[in-house]
């Protein structure tokens, strides 16, 4: 069968992550124009219209596996659509131009634009199933929890493993009526706190895998497209994802069974994304714990397009990540994960992970000549050709005596001569 072919690895390099960030940035900025206007359909349409042309310029031969719907339901980014410029590697693409359209329409937190790619024929196709049961956790809990165990037992196991009380744990749950009886009351009866997600659970899954977010796990029933995106992100970050398809009715159950899906199988991270070459890029649309939102909401006159973006990668030749307590950010609001190659932000995406040396892509960025970085990157003081593992810190402002306080190192008041 085609799905059993050995995935192709050639051509999946770091530069692809930067191209994906440009696509999510375009979607976030376009969606940001409709923040708080109450029209979630307009939010989604603007993001799709902005993201699709950018994806068409990426050097890849991509097939949308998780998109905006079937071809007759979505004019762009529909399931099965071919994207990319027709060169480069063959890849599967999972895309959500706005994870949280209602959040954006109401200016609520944690809306983001996200794209994930992996080698061709390696992403899980949920078929007719729209929903699935989910459990997302950090990597150190992968062998501690049991997906099929009661939530009370899993909370006890996590608390025991981390040397905490159950009362110190925080659980992310989508705020839906279906969770009230079976999940919310039981979590509260066990003593744990609940962080409700109003819409879109990709951000909640990533928070569960990331240290210092205050979230210990995500649990509940959510969309299968978001499940694939969350699994790809957690695979890059060293987290763990478990899921099981959840048919909404008997008709959907029969369709899934006729298509050959095992509705009792517990799906792991590797079942959701079988490749070890994975890229995920996300950009904040509204402010949240992970990413700052669109500048159109903040109206920062010096940085009208300074969006906060995140790109993560999983390589086939990966090593085990260092313990979470050693993963200190090199810059405020940036995230680095050693060999996973995590970078963040308009300027920060050029910074290396702590355990890697400079790559040719950093030495010679496309479009800026040999060894020349964009002005915003040069001004921050980071030297991509410097020694690996250098403890770099942002420099003091170049013009501290101008009377106007602007702490951002790439401000026009701090740039100096280019």
């Amino acid at each position: 069968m085609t799905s059993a072919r050995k995935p192709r690895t050639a051509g999946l390099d770091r530069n692809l992550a930067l191209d994906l960030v440009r696509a999510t940035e375009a979607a976030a900025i376009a969606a940001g124009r409709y923040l708080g206007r109450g029209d979630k359909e307009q939010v989604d349409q603007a993001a799709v219209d902005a993201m699709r042309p950018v994806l068409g310029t990426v050097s890849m031969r991509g097939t949308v596996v998780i998109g905006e719907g079937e071809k007759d339901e979505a004019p762009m980014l529909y399931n099965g659509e071919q994207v990319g410029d027709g060169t480069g590697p063959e890849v599967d693409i999972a895309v959500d131009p706005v994870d949280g359209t209602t959040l954006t329409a109401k200016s609520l937190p944690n809306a983001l634009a996200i794209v994930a790619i992996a080698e061709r024929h390696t992403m899980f196709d949920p078929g007719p199933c729209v929903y699935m049961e989910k459990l997302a956790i950090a990597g150190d809990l992968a062998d501690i929890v049991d997906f099929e165990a009661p939530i009370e037992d899993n909370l006890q196991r996590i608390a025991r493993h981390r040397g905490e009380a159950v009362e110190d744990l925080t659980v992310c749950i989508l705020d839906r009526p279906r969770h009230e009886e079976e999940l919310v009351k039981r979590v509260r009866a066990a003593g744990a706190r609940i962080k409700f997600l109003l819409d879109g659970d990709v951000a909640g899954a990533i928070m569960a895998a990331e240290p210092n977010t205050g979230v210990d796990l995500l649990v509940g029933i959510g969309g299968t497209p978001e499940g694939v995106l969350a699994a790809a992100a957690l695979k890059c970050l060293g987290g763990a994802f478990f899921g099981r398809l959840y048919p909404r009715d008997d008709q959907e159950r029969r369709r899934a069974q006729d298509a050959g899906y095992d509705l009792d199988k517990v799906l792991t991270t590797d079942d959701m994304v079988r490749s070890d070459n994975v890229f995920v890029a996300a950009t904040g649309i509204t402010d949240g714990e992970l990413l700052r939102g669109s500048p159109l909401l903040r109206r920062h006159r010096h940085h009208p397009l300074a969006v906060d973006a995140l790109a993560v990668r999983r390589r086939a030749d990966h090593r085990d990540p260092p313990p979470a307590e050693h993963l200190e950010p090199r810059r405020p609001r940036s995230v680095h994960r050693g060999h996973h190659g995590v970078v963040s932000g308009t300027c920060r995406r050029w910074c290396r992970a702590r355990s890697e040396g400079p790559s040719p892509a950093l030495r010679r960025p496309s479009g800026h000549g040999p060894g020349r970085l964009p002005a915003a990157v040069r001004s921050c003081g980071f030297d991509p050709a410097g020694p690996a593992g250098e403890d770099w810190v942002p420099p003091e402002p170049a013009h501290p005596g101008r009377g106007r306080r602007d702490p951002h190192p790439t401000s026009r008041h701090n740039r100096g001569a280019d």
Side-chain angles (χ1 to χ4, degrees), residues 203-214:
I206 297 175
M207 284 191 284
E210 281 286 273
N212 306 320
T213 61

Side-chain angles (χ1 to χ4, degrees), residues 3-329:
S3 59
R5 292 185 307 182
K6 183 178 178 60
R8 177 180 174 180
T9 61
L12 285 179
D13 56 33
R14 293 184 68 120
N15 292 335
L16 210 55
L18 302 182
D19 292 330
L20 296 179
V21 169
R22 295 185 189 103
T24 58
E25 285 175 349
I29 292 170
R33 299 182 183 279
Y34 300 95
L35 283 166
R37 301 186 186 277
D39 189 346
K40 67 177 186 178
E41 300 298 332
Q42 184 63 63
V43 166
D44 190 58
Q45 187 62 54
V48 172
D49 291 344
M51 178 181 282
R52 178 61 181 85
V54 180
L55 287 176
T57 67
V58 180
S59 178
M60 64 180 179
R61 291 172 289 165
T63 301
V64 177
V65 177
I66 302 294
E68 291 290 283
E70 299 303 322
K71 186 174 183 178
D72 57 349
E73 301 172 357
M76 289 191 294
L77 297 179
Y78 54 84
N79 297 347
E81 183 180 4
Q82 303 298 309
V83 298
D85 66 358
T87 65
E90 290 187 81
V91 295
D92 285 345
I93 301 177
V95 56
D96 195 347
V98 182
D99 181 46
T101 53
T102 301
L103 300 178
T104 306
K106 296 182 178 181
S107 290
L108 295 173
N110 287 320
L112 51 84
I114 184 169
V115 174
I117 69 170
E119 294 160 325
R120 187 73 178 110
H121 305 295
T122 60
M123 278 189 177
F124 179 72
D125 182 358
C129 295
V130 178
Y131 289 100
M132 68 187 309
E133 301 173 73
K134 304 178 186 179
L135 175 63
I137 49 175
D140 65 309
L141 300 175
D143 296 326
I144 303 300
V145 301
D146 181 354
F147 180 81
E148 298 184 288
I151 183 64
E152 297 88 349
D153 291 353
N154 280 328
L155 290 173
Q156 290 286 350
R157 294 178 185 185
I158 293 172
R160 192 180 308 114
H161 175 75
R162 292 187 168 171
E164 301 175 347
V166 174
E167 290 75 11
D168 297 326
L169 302 181
T170 299
V171 183
C172 256
I173 302 175
L174 267 175
D175 190 7
R176 297 290 186 270
R178 61 178 176 263
H179 291 147
E180 189 62 35
E181 291 294 330
E182 283 297 316
L183 195 56
V184 172
K185 289 184 177 180
R186 294 170 60 186
V187 170
R188 285 177 171 160
R193 295 184 292 263
I194 295 178
K195 178 181 178 63
F196 281 112
L197 301 172
L198 300 180
D199 192 21
D201 56 6
V202 176
I206 297 175
M207 284 191 284
E210 281 286 273
N212 306 320
T213 61
V215 174
D216 296 284
L217 71 157
L218 173 135
V219 66
I221 299 170
T224 49
E226 291 82 1
V228 175
L229 285 163
L234 266 59
K235 188 158 192 173
C236 295
L237 294 168
F241 181 91
F242 300 94
R244 181 165 54 199
L245 297 176
Y246 186 84
R248 293 172 293 178
D249 50 40
D250 291 338
Q251 181 180 359
E252 190 171 290
R253 178 180 293 275
R254 285 194 298 271
R255 290 175 57 198
Q257 290 174 339
D258 292 342
Y261 289 90
D262 183 356
L263 300 180
D264 295 323
K265 180 180 179 180
V266 176
L267 302 168
T268 65
T269 312
D270 289 334
D271 293 322
M272 302 294 286
V273 184
R274 299 192 302 277
S275 172
D276 276 329
N277 281 293
V278 185
F279 293 93
V280 179
T283 300
I285 301 175
T286 59
D287 287 338
E289 290 87 343
L290 288 173
L291 298 167
R292 290 173 295 183
S294 169
L296 299 174
L297 181 63
R298 298 192 301 274
R299 296 186 181 276
H300 194 310
R301 68 175 181 172
H302 298 317
H303 299 283
L305 296 178
V307 294
D308 199 8
L310 173 72
V312 291
R313 181 193 185 190
R314 166 91 171 195
R315 286 207 308 253
D317 57 347
H318 70 278
R319 305 180 302 273
D320 290 335
E325 60 268 23
H326 295 158
L327 302 176
E328 299 176 359

